[in-house]
């Protein structure tokens, strides 16, 4: 992983941790702002790890209000473990923790689980649109987000 990419991911992880350290109503809005910031990293670096984290942050933003207390705590803990693993250069553990985070988001509740693919697709399209606004071509934006040009 490039050092500049690692730095951006660590910034986003640390900001997400700060937001979620204390459960508050404003978490929802702060996660949205962080998600919008993270998409700028995608446009700048075109890196799959940044894309994955950006989609994860957006997904957490979408489900944060329906998370039970234990899932909320687990998300915070896994974000912290992800940060620690990345700082230590253990990319295998980092990826493991990110995968676990996606599983928690998927399991938030039955409704979210049923519609997560729709949420993920909508997130990719929304973030792809922002990439277009940042000057990337349709093909580049679609490719980075795992979409077809038609999407």
């Amino acid at each position: 992983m490039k050092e500049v990419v690692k730095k951006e991911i660590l910034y986003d992880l640390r900001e997400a941790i700060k937001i979620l350290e204390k459960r508050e109503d404003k978490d929802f809005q702060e996660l949205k702002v962080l998600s919008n910031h993270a998409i700028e990293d995608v446009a700048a670096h075109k890196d799959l790890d940044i894309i994955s984290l950006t989609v994860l942050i957006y997904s957490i933003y979408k489900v944060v209000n329906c998370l039970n207390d234990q899932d909320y705590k687990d998300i915070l803990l896994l974000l912290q473990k992800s940060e620690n693993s990345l700082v230590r250069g253990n990319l295998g553990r980092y990826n493991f923790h990110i995968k676990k985070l996606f599983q928690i988001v998927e399991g938030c509740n039955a409704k979210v689980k049923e519609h997560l693919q729709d949420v993920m697709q909508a997130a990719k399209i929304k973030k792809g649109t922002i990439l277009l606004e940042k000057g990337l071509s349709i093909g580049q934006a679609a490719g980075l987000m795992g979409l077809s040009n038609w999407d």
Side-chain angles (χ1 to χ4, degrees):
M1 178 182 293
K2 294 178 185 175
E3 194 59 35
V4 68
V5 169
K6 182 178 176 180
K7 183 180 174 183
E8 294 294 345
I9 290 173
L10 284 171
Y11 173 83
D12 292 340
L13 283 170
R14 289 173 179 148
E15 288 300 308
I17 290 166
K18 278 190 228 176
I19 292 167
L20 298 174
E21 279 180 329
K22 184 176 178 190
R23 192 169 194 169
E24 300 174 307
D25 292 335
K26 67 181 183 170
D27 293 349
F28 180 77
Q29 188 59 33
E30 290 177 350
L31 283 169
K32 182 178 181 182
V33 170
L34 179 59
S35 174
N36 289 337
H37 162 79
I39 196 62
E40 293 182 19
D41 298 337
V42 172
H45 303 290
K46 302 169 187 75
D47 181 86
L48 290 176
D49 289 314
I50 291 178
I51 293 169
S52 178
L53 184 63
T54 301
V55 171
L56 176 65
I57 291 170
Y58 184 77
S59 299
I60 293 170
Y61 149 71
K62 287 303 233 180
V63 301
V64 72
N65 291 330
C66 77
L67 292 170
N68 64 41
D69 289 339
Q70 186 59 51
D71 286 341
Y72 193 93
K73 289 176 188 176
D74 289 345
I75 284 176
L76 178 59
L77 179 64
L78 284 167
L79 286 169
Q80 292 167 334
K81 287 182 176 183
S82 297
E83 177 197 7
N84 290 336
S85 296
L86 195 55
V87 166
R88 291 188 180 114
N90 189 339
L91 296 180
R93 291 303 294 171
Y94 166 79
N95 287 325
F96 173 80
H97 296 309
I98 295 297
K99 182 178 178 182
K100 288 295 221 184
L101 283 160
F102 274 110
Q103 288 172 349
I104 291 171
V105 170
E106 287 177 18
C108 174
N109 65 33
K111 183 176 181 182
V112 170
K113 190 171 184 176
E114 289 174 18
H115 299 292
L116 183 65
Q117 291 301 325
D118 292 340
V119 169
M120 299 294 272
Q121 184 73 1
K124 289 177 181 181
I125 290 170
K126 179 176 175 77
K127 297 307 177 184
T129 301
I130 293 171
L131 290 174
L132 288 172
E133 293 170 1
K134 300 284 181 192
L136 274 69
S137 70
I138 289 175
Q140 287 175 317
L144 284 172
M145 299 311 294
L147 300 167
S148 71
N149 288 0
W150 178 253
D151 291 330

